[in-house]
Amino acid sequence: MDEELLHTIWKYKLLGQSKFIGSKDETIEIISIGEHNQDSGPDFFNSKVIINGILLAGNVEIHIKTSDWLKHHHQKDKSYDNLVLHVVYEHDLALPQNETYNVSVIELKRYIKPGLINQYNQLKLSKQSIPCGKSILAVPDIILKSWLDRLAVSRIEEKTDYIAHLFEYCKQNYEEALYLLLCRNFGFKINNDAFEMLGKLLPYSILKKYSDNETQIESLLYGVAGFLDDLYQDKYPTQLQNEFEFLRQKHQLIPLKKVVWKFSKTRPANFPTIRISQLASLLCKQQSLYHFLESKPSLKMIKDFFSISPSIYWTNHFRFDVETQDSAKPFGAIAVQSIVINTIIPYLFFMSKHKLNQEYIDYAIDLLTQLPYEVNTKTKEFIKLGIKPLNALESQAQIQLFDNYCTKKACLKCNLSEFLLKKSS
């Protein structure tokens, strides 16, 4: 038994009853459990109870044993004076303070069924990656679906926190913030930080001046990325160097050190040299991504927008001056899906919040439901249990559930475990 479980039992009314007998045989009826307090002070504020027919309002404190009151030194804290109820698992001591203030005590040990404790111990001691894996199929679809919907939205909203940071960095310029987010996610995790640094050193306000000239766009991107500092034999990188030298002086640009880019532990098609050329191709579109999204395009239109390929030089190269066999290097379907999920969807949520337009959220959710679900180590764990996501909205929810609840053993904060505990009680 631990206090966290007692809090959960009390908060979600897992005992299945509202009437109890106190330690002095008084009748106690819970009208309202109150507000769960996550900070210092009593565990629940503004609770309402009827004790022996008298309605009382005040706070509730929960302990494993009544004597824990003294261990925690609550007797010295005035914030505990307005107590109407002391809830304990085991009543082992008559406290002078409870006597003085006429605080009733409920001993839960007599009300908690063994099945609830057994279910909790199964969750707590489980060595499975998903602690409730053996029982999860017992959760009704309506509860599972509702919880996954909330988790998916929660995951997207967490990502908007970072966009807010970028927005402030860009002095509240929507277009620049989206460009920075796009740059970051073109790193596909391994080079995220490097791509974001590139975006910050090379603002979109400069790039869009050259959007009708892909060679100049590439020279700016490769130059500021630090890839044009070496001596090359091939005509293409030499041309980019010459172009960049002029643009560098004109815009007073400061290049990155090339060492920030990671090539190891990634497929050649994901090398930053290839991704930079693909980004250049995207930035040469007649319409910026920001203005494109304002029109709420269909998923097919988005896929067409991201139908980009690096310049012809990269057909038989992955690095400058290192020739390889010819191979097409388009921006693949998985890459497009990643950009939609990690860039477009959270940015639409951010726009909705800042422009007070619910339509952007509805549009974003609709896009997610049209995308196929992601297959990775986390979603595979749920699929093995027979819970196959229907789309990217549900796979995002499963990832959120796995990261924030399952791996942290935060079962008592999860709606699925709440149902299982309630069922066992």
Side-chain angles (χ1 to χ4, degrees), residues 3-4 6-8 10-12 33-39 42-47 60 62 413:
E3 262 190 38
E4 188 181 11
L6 292 181
H7 281 219
T8 301
W10 189 255
K11 182 176 181 178
Y12 297 110
I33 62 164
E35 305 161 20
H36 196 190
N37 174 33
Q38 304 290 346
D39 297 316
D43 295 317
F44 288 84
F45 289 144
N46 304 319
S47 303
V60 173
I62 295 178
K413 297 177 181 178

mmCIF file with all atom_site columns, all heavy atoms in Angstrom, residues 3-4 6-8 10-12 33-39 42-47 60 62 413:
data_model
loop_
_atom_site.group_PDB
_atom_site.id
_atom_site.type_symbol
_atom_site.label_atom_id
_atom_site.label_alt_id
_atom_site.label_comp_id
_atom_site.label_asym_id
_atom_site.label_entity_id
_atom_site.label_seq_id
_atom_site.pdbx_PDB_ins_code
_atom_site.Cartn_x
_atom_site.Cartn_y
_atom_site.Cartn_z
_atom_site.occupancy
_atom_site.B_iso_or_equiv
_atom_site.pdbx_formal_charge
_atom_site.auth_seq_id
_atom_site.auth_comp_id
_atom_site.auth_asym_id
_atom_site.auth_atom_id
_atom_site.pdbx_PDB_model_num
ATOM 1   N N   . GLU A 1 3   ? 0.646   5.824  -0.608  1.00 0.00 ? 3   GLU A N   1
ATOM 2   C CA  . GLU A 1 3   ? -0.267  6.973  -0.596  1.00 0.00 ? 3   GLU A CA  1
ATOM 3   C C   . GLU A 1 3   ? -0.805  7.310  -1.978  1.00 0.00 ? 3   GLU A C   1
ATOM 4   O O   . GLU A 1 3   ? -1.932  7.770  -2.124  1.00 0.00 ? 3   GLU A O   1
ATOM 5   C CB  . GLU A 1 3   ? 0.439   8.194  0.015   1.00 0.00 ? 3   GLU A CB  1
ATOM 6   C CG  . GLU A 1 3   ? 0.097   8.393  1.464   1.00 0.00 ? 3   GLU A CG  1
ATOM 7   C CD  . GLU A 1 3   ? 0.583   9.712  2.021   1.00 0.00 ? 3   GLU A CD  1
ATOM 8   O OE1 . GLU A 1 3   ? 0.527   10.739 1.303   1.00 0.00 ? 3   GLU A OE1 1
ATOM 9   O OE2 . GLU A 1 3   ? 1.000   9.718  3.195   1.00 0.00 ? 3   GLU A OE2 1
ATOM 10  N N   . GLU A 1 4   ? 0.023   7.101  -2.994  1.00 0.00 ? 4   GLU A N   1
ATOM 11  C CA  . GLU A 1 4   ? -0.419  7.420  -4.346  1.00 0.00 ? 4   GLU A CA  1
ATOM 12  C C   . GLU A 1 4   ? -1.649  6.589  -4.723  1.00 0.00 ? 4   GLU A C   1
ATOM 13  O O   . GLU A 1 4   ? -2.585  7.100  -5.346  1.00 0.00 ? 4   GLU A O   1
ATOM 14  C CB  . GLU A 1 4   ? 0.704   7.176  -5.358  1.00 0.00 ? 4   GLU A CB  1
ATOM 15  C CG  . GLU A 1 4   ? 0.359   7.666  -6.755  1.00 0.00 ? 4   GLU A CG  1
ATOM 16  C CD  . GLU A 1 4   ? 1.449   7.416  -7.773  1.00 0.00 ? 4   GLU A CD  1
ATOM 17  O OE1 . GLU A 1 4   ? 2.398   6.671  -7.467  1.00 0.00 ? 4   GLU A OE1 1
ATOM 18  O OE2 . GLU A 1 4   ? 1.338   7.945  -8.895  1.00 0.00 ? 4   GLU A OE2 1
ATOM 19  N N   . LEU A 1 6   ? -3.821  5.361  -2.562  1.00 0.00 ? 6   LEU A N   1
ATOM 20  C CA  . LEU A 1 6   ? -4.937  5.881  -1.764  1.00 0.00 ? 6   LEU A CA  1
ATOM 21  C C   . LEU A 1 6   ? -5.521  7.152  -2.380  1.00 0.00 ? 6   LEU A C   1
ATOM 22  O O   . LEU A 1 6   ? -6.737  7.338  -2.412  1.00 0.00 ? 6   LEU A O   1
ATOM 23  C CB  . LEU A 1 6   ? -4.476  6.155  -0.331  1.00 0.00 ? 6   LEU A CB  1
ATOM 24  C CG  . LEU A 1 6   ? -4.117  4.938  0.531   1.00 0.00 ? 6   LEU A CG  1
ATOM 25  C CD1 . LEU A 1 6   ? -3.693  5.385  1.920   1.00 0.00 ? 6   LEU A CD1 1
ATOM 26  C CD2 . LEU A 1 6   ? -5.281  3.962  0.614   1.00 0.00 ? 6   LEU A CD2 1
ATOM 27  N N   . HIS A 1 7   ? -4.641  8.013  -2.898  1.00 0.00 ? 7   HIS A N   1
ATOM 28  C CA  . HIS A 1 7   ? -5.104  9.229  -3.571  1.00 0.00 ? 7   HIS A CA  1
ATOM 29  C C   . HIS A 1 7   ? -5.959  8.867  -4.781  1.00 0.00 ? 7   HIS A C   1
ATOM 30  O O   . HIS A 1 7   ? -6.999  9.480  -5.033  1.00 0.00 ? 7   HIS A O   1
ATOM 31  C CB  . HIS A 1 7   ? -3.898  10.055 -4.027  1.00 0.00 ? 7   HIS A CB  1
ATOM 32  C CG  . HIS A 1 7   ? -3.261  10.848 -2.936  1.00 0.00 ? 7   HIS A CG  1
ATOM 33  N ND1 . HIS A 1 7   ? -2.771  12.117 -3.122  1.00 0.00 ? 7   HIS A ND1 1
ATOM 34  C CD2 . HIS A 1 7   ? -3.047  10.556 -1.625  1.00 0.00 ? 7   HIS A CD2 1
ATOM 35  C CE1 . HIS A 1 7   ? -2.274  12.572 -1.981  1.00 0.00 ? 7   HIS A CE1 1
ATOM 36  N NE2 . HIS A 1 7   ? -2.420  11.634 -1.061  1.00 0.00 ? 7   HIS A NE2 1
ATOM 37  N N   . THR A 1 8   ? -5.500  7.871  -5.533  1.00 0.00 ? 8   THR A N   1
ATOM 38  C CA  . THR A 1 8   ? -6.233  7.439  -6.725  1.00 0.00 ? 8   THR A CA  1
ATOM 39  C C   . THR A 1 8   ? -7.580  6.847  -6.347  1.00 0.00 ? 8   THR A C   1
ATOM 40  O O   . THR A 1 8   ? -8.605  7.136  -6.985  1.00 0.00 ? 8   THR A O   1
ATOM 41  C CB  . THR A 1 8   ? -5.407  6.394  -7.515  1.00 0.00 ? 8   THR A CB  1
ATOM 42  O OG1 . THR A 1 8   ? -4.154  6.986  -7.882  1.00 0.00 ? 8   THR A OG1 1
ATOM 43  C CG2 . THR A 1 8   ? -6.131  5.943  -8.768  1.00 0.00 ? 8   THR A CG2 1
ATOM 44  N N   . TRP A 1 10  ? -9.352  7.508  -3.746  1.00 0.00 ? 10  TRP A N   1
ATOM 45  C CA  . TRP A 1 10  ? -10.228 8.585  -3.274  1.00 0.00 ? 10  TRP A CA  1
ATOM 46  C C   . TRP A 1 10  ? -10.681 9.484  -4.429  1.00 0.00 ? 10  TRP A C   1
ATOM 47  O O   . TRP A 1 10  ? -11.858 9.793  -4.568  1.00 0.00 ? 10  TRP A O   1
ATOM 48  C CB  . TRP A 1 10  ? -9.487  9.409  -2.215  1.00 0.00 ? 10  TRP A CB  1
ATOM 49  C CG  . TRP A 1 10  ? -10.356 10.411 -1.513  1.00 0.00 ? 10  TRP A CG  1
ATOM 50  C CD1 . TRP A 1 10  ? -10.375 11.763 -1.699  1.00 0.00 ? 10  TRP A CD1 1
ATOM 51  C CD2 . TRP A 1 10  ? -11.350 10.126 -0.538  1.00 0.00 ? 10  TRP A CD2 1
ATOM 52  N NE1 . TRP A 1 10  ? -11.312 12.346 -0.886  1.00 0.00 ? 10  TRP A NE1 1
ATOM 53  C CE2 . TRP A 1 10  ? -11.936 11.349 -0.146  1.00 0.00 ? 10  TRP A CE2 1
ATOM 54  C CE3 . TRP A 1 10  ? -11.809 8.951  0.064   1.00 0.00 ? 10  TRP A CE3 1
ATOM 55  C CZ2 . TRP A 1 10  ? -12.936 11.444 0.792   1.00 0.00 ? 10  TRP A CZ2 1
ATOM 56  C CZ3 . TRP A 1 10  ? -12.803 9.046  1.009   1.00 0.00 ? 10  TRP A CZ3 1
ATOM 57  C CH2 . TRP A 1 10  ? -13.360 10.278 1.364   1.00 0.00 ? 10  TRP A CH2 1
ATOM 58  N N   . LYS A 1 11  ? -9.729  9.864  -5.272  1.00 0.00 ? 11  LYS A N   1
ATOM 59  C CA  . LYS A 1 11  ? -10.014 10.808 -6.364  1.00 0.00 ? 11  LYS A CA  1
ATOM 60  C C   . LYS A 1 11  ? -11.019 10.242 -7.364  1.00 0.00 ? 11  LYS A C   1
ATOM 61  O O   . LYS A 1 11  ? -11.915 10.955 -7.823  1.00 0.00 ? 11  LYS A O   1
ATOM 62  C CB  . LYS A 1 11  ? -8.703  11.159 -7.082  1.00 0.00 ? 11  LYS A CB  1
ATOM 63  C CG  . LYS A 1 11  ? -8.863  12.175 -8.205  1.00 0.00 ? 11  LYS A CG  1
ATOM 64  C CD  . LYS A 1 11  ? -7.515  12.536 -8.799  1.00 0.00 ? 11  LYS A CD  1
ATOM 65  C CE  . LYS A 1 11  ? -7.648  13.563 -9.911  1.00 0.00 ? 11  LYS A CE  1
ATOM 66  N NZ  . LYS A 1 11  ? -6.317  13.950 -10.464 1.00 0.00 ? 11  LYS A NZ  1
ATOM 67  N N   . TYR A 1 12  ? -10.871 8.960  -7.685  1.00 0.00 ? 12  TYR A N   1
ATOM 68  C CA  . TYR A 1 12  ? -11.733 8.356  -8.713  1.00 0.00 ? 12  TYR A CA  1
ATOM 69  C C   . TYR A 1 12  ? -12.851 7.487  -8.130  1.00 0.00 ? 12  TYR A C   1
ATOM 70  O O   . TYR A 1 12  ? -13.500 6.743  -8.849  1.00 0.00 ? 12  TYR A O   1
ATOM 71  C CB  . TYR A 1 12  ? -10.879 7.541  -9.690  1.00 0.00 ? 12  TYR A CB  1
ATOM 72  C CG  . TYR A 1 12  ? -9.894  8.394  -10.453 1.00 0.00 ? 12  TYR A CG  1
ATOM 73  C CD1 . TYR A 1 12  ? -8.530  8.303  -10.207 1.00 0.00 ? 12  TYR A CD1 1
ATOM 74  C CD2 . TYR A 1 12  ? -10.335 9.319  -11.397 1.00 0.00 ? 12  TYR A CD2 1
ATOM 75  C CE1 . TYR A 1 12  ? -7.623  9.098  -10.897 1.00 0.00 ? 12  TYR A CE1 1
ATOM 76  C CE2 . TYR A 1 12  ? -9.444  10.114 -12.089 1.00 0.00 ? 12  TYR A CE2 1
ATOM 77  C CZ  . TYR A 1 12  ? -8.086  10.003 -11.833 1.00 0.00 ? 12  TYR A CZ  1
ATOM 78  O OH  . TYR A 1 12  ? -7.195  10.794 -12.514 1.00 0.00 ? 12  TYR A OH  1
ATOM 79  N N   . ILE A 1 33  ? -15.568 15.088 -3.297  1.00 0.00 ? 33  ILE A N   1
ATOM 80  C CA  . ILE A 1 33  ? -14.206 14.748 -2.845  1.00 0.00 ? 33  ILE A CA  1
ATOM 81  C C   . ILE A 1 33  ? -13.322 15.984 -2.795  1.00 0.00 ? 33  ILE A C   1
ATOM 82  O O   . ILE A 1 33  ? -12.279 15.979 -2.137  1.00 0.00 ? 33  ILE A O   1
ATOM 83  C CB  . ILE A 1 33  ? -13.547 13.694 -3.757  1.00 0.00 ? 33  ILE A CB  1
ATOM 84  C CG1 . ILE A 1 33  ? -13.411 14.237 -5.183  1.00 0.00 ? 33  ILE A CG1 1
ATOM 85  C CG2 . ILE A 1 33  ? -14.310 12.394 -3.731  1.00 0.00 ? 33  ILE A CG2 1
ATOM 86  C CD1 . ILE A 1 33  ? -12.447 13.457 -6.042  1.00 0.00 ? 33  ILE A CD1 1
ATOM 87  N N   . GLY A 1 34  ? -13.712 17.044 -3.497  1.00 0.00 ? 34  GLY A N   1
ATOM 88  C CA  . GLY A 1 34  ? -12.909 18.265 -3.500  1.00 0.00 ? 34  GLY A CA  1
ATOM 89  C C   . GLY A 1 34  ? -11.935 18.314 -4.662  1.00 0.00 ? 34  GLY A C   1
ATOM 90  O O   . GLY A 1 34  ? -12.007 17.527 -5.598  1.00 0.00 ? 34  GLY A O   1
ATOM 91  N N   . GLU A 1 35  ? -10.990 19.243 -4.567  1.00 0.00 ? 35  GLU A N   1
ATOM 92  C CA  . GLU A 1 35  ? -9.988  19.449 -5.627  1.00 0.00 ? 35  GLU A CA  1
ATOM 93  C C   . GLU A 1 35  ? -8.668  18.840 -5.191  1.00 0.00 ? 35  GLU A C   1
ATOM 94  O O   . GLU A 1 35  ? -8.160  19.133 -4.115  1.00 0.00 ? 35  GLU A O   1
ATOM 95  C CB  . GLU A 1 35  ? -9.811  20.947 -5.888  1.00 0.00 ? 35  GLU A CB  1
ATOM 96  C CG  . GLU A 1 35  ? -11.096 21.685 -6.212  1.00 0.00 ? 35  GLU A CG  1
ATOM 97  C CD  . GLU A 1 35  ? -10.958 23.182 -5.996  1.00 0.00 ? 35  GLU A CD  1
ATOM 98  O OE1 . GLU A 1 35  ? -9.810  23.669 -5.963  1.00 0.00 ? 35  GLU A OE1 1
ATOM 99  O OE2 . GLU A 1 35  ? -12.002 23.849 -5.847  1.00 0.00 ? 35  GLU A OE2 1
ATOM 100 N N   . HIS A 1 36  ? -8.113  17.987 -6.054  1.00 0.00 ? 36  HIS A N   1
ATOM 101 C CA  . HIS A 1 36  ? -6.845  17.333 -5.734  1.00 0.00 ? 36  HIS A CA  1
ATOM 102 C C   . HIS A 1 36  ? -5.721  18.368 -5.727  1.00 0.00 ? 36  HIS A C   1
ATOM 103 O O   . HIS A 1 36  ? -5.474  19.049 -6.712  1.00 0.00 ? 36  HIS A O   1
ATOM 104 C CB  . HIS A 1 36  ? -6.542  16.236 -6.767  1.00 0.00 ? 36  HIS A CB  1
ATOM 105 C CG  . HIS A 1 36  ? -5.484  15.284 -6.326  1.00 0.00 ? 36  HIS A CG  1
ATOM 106 N ND1 . HIS A 1 36  ? -4.921  14.347 -7.159  1.00 0.00 ? 36  HIS A ND1 1
ATOM 107 C CD2 . HIS A 1 36  ? -4.886  15.100 -5.119  1.00 0.00 ? 36  HIS A CD2 1
ATOM 108 C CE1 . HIS A 1 36  ? -4.031  13.640 -6.497  1.00 0.00 ? 36  HIS A CE1 1
ATOM 109 N NE2 . HIS A 1 36  ? -3.987  14.079 -5.256  1.00 0.00 ? 36  HIS A NE2 1
ATOM 110 N N   . ASN A 1 37  ? -5.013  18.460 -4.619  1.00 0.00 ? 37  ASN A N   1
ATOM 111 C CA  . ASN A 1 37  ? -3.928  19.431 -4.462  1.00 0.00 ? 37  ASN A CA  1
ATOM 112 C C   . ASN A 1 37  ? -2.587  18.760 -4.760  1.00 0.00 ? 37  ASN A C   1
ATOM 113 O O   . ASN A 1 37  ? -2.215  17.801 -4.107  1.00 0.00 ? 37  ASN A O   1
ATOM 114 C CB  . ASN A 1 37  ? -3.941  19.990 -3.035  1.00 0.00 ? 37  ASN A CB  1
ATOM 115 C CG  . ASN A 1 37  ? -2.751  20.880 -2.770  1.00 0.00 ? 37  ASN A CG  1
ATOM 116 O OD1 . ASN A 1 37  ? -2.259  21.563 -3.663  1.00 0.00 ? 37  ASN A OD1 1
ATOM 117 N ND2 . ASN A 1 37  ? -2.270  20.880 -1.528  1.00 0.00 ? 37  ASN A ND2 1
ATOM 118 N N   . GLN A 1 38  ? -1.854  19.279 -5.757  1.00 0.00 ? 38  GLN A N   1
ATOM 119 C CA  . GLN A 1 38  ? -0.562  18.716 -6.131  1.00 0.00 ? 38  GLN A CA  1
ATOM 120 C C   . GLN A 1 38  ? 0.600   19.417 -5.420  1.00 0.00 ? 38  GLN A C   1
ATOM 121 O O   . GLN A 1 38  ? 1.746   18.994 -5.551  1.00 0.00 ? 38  GLN A O   1
ATOM 122 C CB  . GLN A 1 38  ? -0.357  18.824 -7.653  1.00 0.00 ? 38  GLN A CB  1
ATOM 123 C CG  . GLN A 1 38  ? -1.465  18.185 -8.483  1.00 0.00 ? 38  GLN A CG  1
ATOM 124 C CD  . GLN A 1 38  ? -1.477  16.675 -8.401  1.00 0.00 ? 38  GLN A CD  1
ATOM 125 O OE1 . GLN A 1 38  ? -0.523  16.055 -7.930  1.00 0.00 ? 38  GLN A OE1 1
ATOM 126 N NE2 . GLN A 1 38  ? -2.560  16.059 -8.845  1.00 0.00 ? 38  GLN A NE2 1
ATOM 127 N N   . ASP A 1 39  ? 0.302   20.468 -4.664  1.00 0.00 ? 39  ASP A N   1
ATOM 128 C CA  . ASP A 1 39  ? 1.362   21.217 -3.972  1.00 0.00 ? 39  ASP A CA  1
ATOM 129 C C   . ASP A 1 39  ? 1.346   20.903 -2.475  1.00 0.00 ? 39  ASP A C   1
ATOM 130 O O   . ASP A 1 39  ? 0.714   19.948 -2.039  1.00 0.00 ? 39  ASP A O   1
ATOM 131 C CB  . ASP A 1 39  ? 1.171   22.713 -4.212  1.00 0.00 ? 39  ASP A CB  1
ATOM 132 C CG  . ASP A 1 39  ? 1.307   23.077 -5.688  1.00 0.00 ? 39  ASP A CG  1
ATOM 133 O OD1 . ASP A 1 39  ? 2.240   22.566 -6.333  1.00 0.00 ? 39  ASP A OD1 1
ATOM 134 O OD2 . ASP A 1 39  ? 0.482   23.872 -6.182  1.00 0.00 ? 39  ASP A OD2 1
ATOM 135 N N   . PRO A 1 42  ? -2.959  20.294 2.514   1.00 0.00 ? 42  PRO A N   1
ATOM 136 C CA  . PRO A 1 42  ? -3.860  19.136 2.491   1.00 0.00 ? 42  PRO A CA  1
ATOM 137 C C   . PRO A 1 42  ? -4.016  18.552 1.087   1.00 0.00 ? 42  PRO A C   1
ATOM 138 O O   . PRO A 1 42  ? -3.886  19.258 0.092   1.00 0.00 ? 42  PRO A O   1
ATOM 139 C CB  . PRO A 1 42  ? -5.187  19.712 3.002   1.00 0.00 ? 42  PRO A CB  1
ATOM 140 C CG  . PRO A 1 42  ? -4.793  20.898 3.815   1.00 0.00 ? 42  PRO A CG  1
ATOM 141 C CD  . PRO A 1 42  ? -3.597  21.472 3.137   1.00 0.00 ? 42  PRO A CD  1
ATOM 142 N N   . ASP A 1 43  ? -4.316  17.261 1.020   1.00 0.00 ? 43  ASP A N   1
ATOM 143 C CA  . ASP A 1 43  ? -4.365  16.555 -0.268  1.00 0.00 ? 43  ASP A CA  1
ATOM 144 C C   . ASP A 1 43  ? -5.562  16.950 -1.131  1.00 0.00 ? 43  ASP A C   1
ATOM 145 O O   . ASP A 1 43  ? -5.466  16.946 -2.361  1.00 0.00 ? 43  ASP A O   1
ATOM 146 C CB  . ASP A 1 43  ? -4.375  15.048 -0.028  1.00 0.00 ? 43  ASP A CB  1
ATOM 147 C CG  . ASP A 1 43  ? -3.084  14.570 0.612   1.00 0.00 ? 43  ASP A CG  1
ATOM 148 O OD1 . ASP A 1 43  ? -2.013  15.040 0.177   1.00 0.00 ? 43  ASP A OD1 1
ATOM 149 O OD2 . ASP A 1 43  ? -3.135  13.745 1.541   1.00 0.00 ? 43  ASP A OD2 1
ATOM 150 N N   . PHE A 1 44  ? -6.682  17.272 -0.484  1.00 0.00 ? 44  PHE A N   1
ATOM 151 C CA  . PHE A 1 44  ? -7.880  17.680 -1.237  1.00 0.00 ? 44  PHE A CA  1
ATOM 152 C C   . PHE A 1 44  ? -8.490  18.914 -0.594  1.00 0.00 ? 44  PHE A C   1
ATOM 153 O O   . PHE A 1 44  ? -8.726  18.936 0.618   1.00 0.00 ? 44  PHE A O   1
ATOM 154 C CB  . PHE A 1 44  ? -8.905  16.541 -1.281  1.00 0.00 ? 44  PHE A CB  1
ATOM 155 C CG  . PHE A 1 44  ? -8.503  15.394 -2.165  1.00 0.00 ? 44  PHE A CG  1
ATOM 156 C CD1 . PHE A 1 44  ? -7.677  14.395 -1.690  1.00 0.00 ? 44  PHE A CD1 1
ATOM 157 C CD2 . PHE A 1 44  ? -8.939  15.325 -3.491  1.00 0.00 ? 44  PHE A CD2 1
ATOM 158 C CE1 . PHE A 1 44  ? -7.282  13.345 -2.501  1.00 0.00 ? 44  PHE A CE1 1
ATOM 159 C CE2 . PHE A 1 44  ? -8.553  14.278 -4.308  1.00 0.00 ? 44  PHE A CE2 1
ATOM 160 C CZ  . PHE A 1 44  ? -7.718  13.280 -3.814  1.00 0.00 ? 44  PHE A CZ  1
ATOM 161 N N   . PHE A 1 45  ? -8.726  19.930 -1.419  1.00 0.00 ? 45  PHE A N   1
ATOM 162 C CA  . PHE A 1 45  ? -9.321  21.178 -0.944  1.00 0.00 ? 45  PHE A CA  1
ATOM 163 C C   . PHE A 1 45  ? -10.831 21.185 -1.193  1.00 0.00 ? 45  PHE A C   1
ATOM 164 O O   . PHE A 1 45  ? -11.329 20.546 -2.107  1.00 0.00 ? 45  PHE A O   1
ATOM 165 C CB  . PHE A 1 45  ? -8.728  22.385 -1.691  1.00 0.00 ? 45  PHE A CB  1
ATOM 166 C CG  . PHE A 1 45  ? -7.300  22.690 -1.335  1.00 0.00 ? 45  PHE A CG  1
ATOM 167 C CD1 . PHE A 1 45  ? -6.421  23.155 -2.313  1.00 0.00 ? 45  PHE A CD1 1
ATOM 168 C CD2 . PHE A 1 45  ? -6.826  22.545 -0.049  1.00 0.00 ? 45  PHE A CD2 1
ATOM 169 C CE1 . PHE A 1 45  ? -5.107  23.458 -2.009  1.00 0.00 ? 45  PHE A CE1 1
ATOM 170 C CE2 . PHE A 1 45  ? -5.512  22.840 0.278   1.00 0.00 ? 45  PHE A CE2 1
ATOM 171 C CZ  . PHE A 1 45  ? -4.649  23.299 -0.708  1.00 0.00 ? 45  PHE A CZ  1
ATOM 172 N N   . ASN A 1 46  ? -11.525 21.957 -0.368  1.00 0.00 ? 46  ASN A N   1
ATOM 173 C CA  . ASN A 1 46  ? -12.942 22.274 -0.596  1.00 0.00 ? 46  ASN A CA  1
ATOM 174 C C   . ASN A 1 46  ? -13.820 21.031 -0.757  1.00 0.00 ? 46  ASN A C   1
ATOM 175 O O   . ASN A 1 46  ? -14.696 20.975 -1.625  1.00 0.00 ? 46  ASN A O   1
ATOM 176 C CB  . ASN A 1 46  ? -13.097 23.181 -1.827  1.00 0.00 ? 46  ASN A CB  1
ATOM 177 C CG  . ASN A 1 46  ? -12.268 24.448 -1.718  1.00 0.00 ? 46  ASN A CG  1
ATOM 178 O OD1 . ASN A 1 46  ? -12.200 25.057 -0.653  1.00 0.00 ? 46  ASN A OD1 1
ATOM 179 N ND2 . ASN A 1 46  ? -11.629 24.832 -2.819  1.00 0.00 ? 46  ASN A ND2 1
ATOM 180 N N   . SER A 1 47  ? -13.570 20.041 0.060   1.00 0.00 ? 47  SER A N   1
ATOM 181 C CA  . SER A 1 47  ? -14.423 18.848 0.049   1.00 0.00 ? 47  SER A CA  1
ATOM 182 C C   . SER A 1 47  ? -15.705 19.126 0.835   1.00 0.00 ? 47  SER A C   1
ATOM 183 O O   . SER A 1 47  ? -15.742 20.009 1.701   1.00 0.00 ? 47  SER A O   1
ATOM 184 C CB  . SER A 1 47  ? -13.672 17.673 0.686   1.00 0.00 ? 47  SER A CB  1
ATOM 185 O OG  . SER A 1 47  ? -12.454 17.442 0.013   1.00 0.00 ? 47  SER A OG  1
ATOM 186 N N   . VAL A 1 60  ? -9.355  17.623 3.097   1.00 0.00 ? 60  VAL A N   1
ATOM 187 C CA  . VAL A 1 60  ? -9.177  16.197 3.432   1.00 0.00 ? 60  VAL A CA  1
ATOM 188 C C   . VAL A 1 60  ? -7.700  15.853 3.306   1.00 0.00 ? 60  VAL A C   1
ATOM 189 O O   . VAL A 1 60  ? -7.046  16.227 2.329   1.00 0.00 ? 60  VAL A O   1
ATOM 190 C CB  . VAL A 1 60  ? -9.995  15.297 2.480   1.00 0.00 ? 60  VAL A CB  1
ATOM 191 C CG1 . VAL A 1 60  ? -9.679  13.828 2.722   1.00 0.00 ? 60  VAL A CG1 1
ATOM 192 C CG2 . VAL A 1 60  ? -11.487 15.550 2.667   1.00 0.00 ? 60  VAL A CG2 1
ATOM 193 N N   . ILE A 1 62  ? -4.882  12.578 3.455   1.00 0.00 ? 62  ILE A N   1
ATOM 194 C CA  . ILE A 1 62  ? -4.831  11.124 3.284   1.00 0.00 ? 62  ILE A CA  1
ATOM 195 C C   . ILE A 1 62  ? -3.462  10.602 3.701   1.00 0.00 ? 62  ILE A C   1
ATOM 196 O O   . ILE A 1 62  ? -2.428  11.165 3.311   1.00 0.00 ? 62  ILE A O   1
ATOM 197 C CB  . ILE A 1 62  ? -5.114  10.740 1.814   1.00 0.00 ? 62  ILE A CB  1
ATOM 198 C CG1 . ILE A 1 62  ? -6.559  11.139 1.450   1.00 0.00 ? 62  ILE A CG1 1
ATOM 199 C CG2 . ILE A 1 62  ? -4.894  9.257  1.571   1.00 0.00 ? 62  ILE A CG2 1
ATOM 200 C CD1 . ILE A 1 62  ? -6.933  10.859 0.006   1.00 0.00 ? 62  ILE A CD1 1
ATOM 201 N N   . LYS A 1 413 ? -1.974  7.398  -13.137 1.00 0.00 ? 413 LYS A N   1
ATOM 202 C CA  . LYS A 1 413 ? -2.403  8.607  -13.830 1.00 0.00 ? 413 LYS A CA  1
ATOM 203 C C   . LYS A 1 413 ? -3.030  8.286  -15.181 1.00 0.00 ? 413 LYS A C   1
ATOM 204 O O   . LYS A 1 413 ? -3.393  9.192  -15.928 1.00 0.00 ? 413 LYS A O   1
ATOM 205 C CB  . LYS A 1 413 ? -1.204  9.547  -14.016 1.00 0.00 ? 413 LYS A CB  1
ATOM 206 C CG  . LYS A 1 413 ? -0.606  10.038 -12.708 1.00 0.00 ? 413 LYS A CG  1
ATOM 207 C CD  . LYS A 1 413 ? 0.620   10.910 -12.951 1.00 0.00 ? 413 LYS A CD  1
ATOM 208 C CE  . LYS A 1 413 ? 1.219   11.370 -11.625 1.00 0.00 ? 413 LYS A CE  1
ATOM 209 N NZ  . LYS A 1 413 ? 2.446   12.193 -11.838 1.00 0.00 ? 413 LYS A NZ  1
#
